[in-house]
Amino acid sequence: MVGRVTVKDLEQLYYLEKMIQHENKRLDELRASVDLHSPGFSDMPKAPGARDKLGEVVPEIVDQEEEIKHSLLEYEETKQKLLHFIRHVPNTRIRLIMMLRYIDKKTWQGVADELGGKETENSVKKTVYRYLGEKNTITGHA
């Protein structure tokens, strides 16, 4: 994260996690489609023109596993960048709000509940948005 950090930058971890969940679901579906115990898989000769489902799906499985590896690497890199940015926020309250929201992935209401006191969903959200809008251009944290 170079330059100005936005809410969209901070939300990337959430969406990367959703993408990884989607990719894992797809991998599970591919693996289920090649159930080796099904009657379609035997060592008997196949009729001319018959499809080799296993031969078609295995490369897809390998590709999907690679996608997941890349997404996991991107997730970890993004998380480290976010942590670096958040750790350099000078205000402890704002830093805690950001950790709870963007690293722990709590809802805004969950963040307010965790902080307690007179905090509300709206107050914690505005705190972060104000910080990103005002402070980030001055401090240049990235």
Side-chain angles (χ1 to χ4, degrees):
M1 273 174 230
V2 178
R4 190 161 194 242
V5 175
T6 66
V7 170
K8 286 184 181 182
D9 295 327
L10 292 169
E11 290 174 342
Q12 287 305 302
L13 207 57
Y14 172 82
Y15 290 108
L16 282 168
E17 186 172 296
K18 289 291 183 190
M19 182 181 297
I20 292 166
Q21 289 171 358
H22 172 75
E23 289 170 346
N24 278 316
K25 181 180 175 190
R26 173 76 176 126
L27 180 59
D28 290 343
E29 290 168 355
L30 287 169
R31 286 180 175 155
S33 76
V34 290
D35 179 5
L36 296 176
H37 301 293
S38 70
F41 294 106
S42 74
D43 55 359
M44 296 297 294
K46 296 187 181 352
R51 290 180 42 207
D52 177 13
K53 189 171 183 179
L54 183 62
E56 292 172 7
V57 176
V58 167
E60 285 185 59
I61 291 172
V62 171
D63 289 345
Q64 191 65 30
E65 288 172 339
E66 281 300 310
E67 276 299 312
I68 292 169
K69 284 181 191 175
H70 289 292
S71 294
L72 287 169
L73 182 61
E74 184 180 0
Y75 179 91
E76 283 306 314
E77 289 172 355
T78 301
K79 184 175 182 178
Q80 290 309 311
K81 289 175 185 176
L82 287 177
L83 284 169
H84 177 76
F85 172 77
I86 293 169
R87 284 184 187 124
H88 288 88
V89 171
N91 182 296
T92 307
R93 177 175 170 267
I94 297 172
R95 198 165 53 238
L96 178 58
I97 292 170
M98 288 182 170
M99 288 293 288
L100 292 169
R101 174 67 177 168
Y102 300 110
I103 302 301
D104 297 345
K105 295 174 222 68
K106 291 185 180 277
T107 63
W108 287 114
Q109 185 60 55
V111 172
D113 293 345
E114 179 96 11
L115 292 177
K118 295 181 181 180
E119 298 289 356
T120 66
E121 175 180 352
N122 201 35
S123 71
V124 293
K125 183 190 287 189
K126 282 185 177 179
T127 297
V128 170
Y129 288 4
R130 258 190 237 119
Y131 176 79
L132 292 173
E134 298 169 9
K135 294 290 186 183
N136 201 36
T137 55
I138 298 167
T139 61
H141 289 137

